[in-house]
């Protein structure tokens, strides 16, 4: 039987993003080596991770001493310094680390890091901006979970036109381009609701679709209520 082992990650760069990733990985049961060249950042995170080291990744000799240590993944969270991000990404690639995730501030930096070996690029500020915009745009929704910049799962109270009709009659996919993945009725969650089940007034649909389509449905619901 294969023995279960903890996943080990190295997080390089302990700004707000890197610190939150490192602490959450450790909280999720992973071992984390946190790296930064700022002594204050090291002191602040030391008690929350497996090991925190003050190290300058632009110093190639220091990186050589670090070694790969069989990490499951590397998170390069430097961002502000392209040179440091590049050196850290190249080091992680040379060590054979299978999953390299790098933070970037813009598309150009992201393309460079991808070219030299990063498997995934994240843009925390851009993604935070998109999330905020969607939160503001979806203020008429009961609740929404963003899956990407284009798609979400939203909880929408049954439209007046849907009451008494079943899913076949409502034709969510054909008419609206969304899919009903679940239905909330009272305190019960009905996953994959039956297509022939009549919809009730206070039913809440969990709909999967594009953000723009979900917003239109929610807006239509609100405008109908306000016109009464």
């Amino acid at each position: 039987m294969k023995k279960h082992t903890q996943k080990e990650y190295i997080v390089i760069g302990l700004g707000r993003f890197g610190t939150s990733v490192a602490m959450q990985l450790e909280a999720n049961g992973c071992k984390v080596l946190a790296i930064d060249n700022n002594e204050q950042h090291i002191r602040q995170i030391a008690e929350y991770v497996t090991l925190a080291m003050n190290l300058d990744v632009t110093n190639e000799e220091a990186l050589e001493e670090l070694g790969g240590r069989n990490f499951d993944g590397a998170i390069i969270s430097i961002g502000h310094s392209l040179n440091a991000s590049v050196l850290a990404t190249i080091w992680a690639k040379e060590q054979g680390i299978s999953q390299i995730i790098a933070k970037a501030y813009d598309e150009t930096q992201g393309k460079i890091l991808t070219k030299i070996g990063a498997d995934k690029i994240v843009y925390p500020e851009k993604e935070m901006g998109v999330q905020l915009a969607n939160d503001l745009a979806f203020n008429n929704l009961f609740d929404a979970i963003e899956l990407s910049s284009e798609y979400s799962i939203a909880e929408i109270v049954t439209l007046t036109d849907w009451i008494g009709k079943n899913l076949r009659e409502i034709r969510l996919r054909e008419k609206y381009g969304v899919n009903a993945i679940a239905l909330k009725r009272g305190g019960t969650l009905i996953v994959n609701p039956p297509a022939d089940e009549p919809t009730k007034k206070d039913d809440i649909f969990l709909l999967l679709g594009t953000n723009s389509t979900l917003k239109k449905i929610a807006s239509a619901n609100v405008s109908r209520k306000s016109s009464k």
Side-chain angles (χ1 to χ4, degrees), residues 46 120 143 154 166 192 226:
K120 181 179 180 180
D143 194 13
N166 60 37
N192 294 323
S226 60

Side-chain angles (χ1 to χ4, degrees), residues 62-114:
L63 279 177
E64 289 297 330
E65 293 178 6
L66 182 60
R69 299 196 185 187
N70 299 315
F71 292 109
D72 293 284
I75 296 86
I76 314 300
S77 178
I78 302 169
H80 64 276
S81 171
L82 177 58
N83 181 50
S85 294
V86 166
L87 290 174
T89 302
I90 291 174
W91 168 83
K93 193 70 175 179
E94 290 178 345
Q95 297 301 319
I97 297 176
S98 59
Q99 185 180 30
I100 303 172
I101 301 170
K103 169 186 171 182
Y105 278 125
D106 54 42
E107 297 291 337
T108 299
Q109 187 175 359
K111 288 179 181 178
I112 293 172
L113 295 173
T114 299

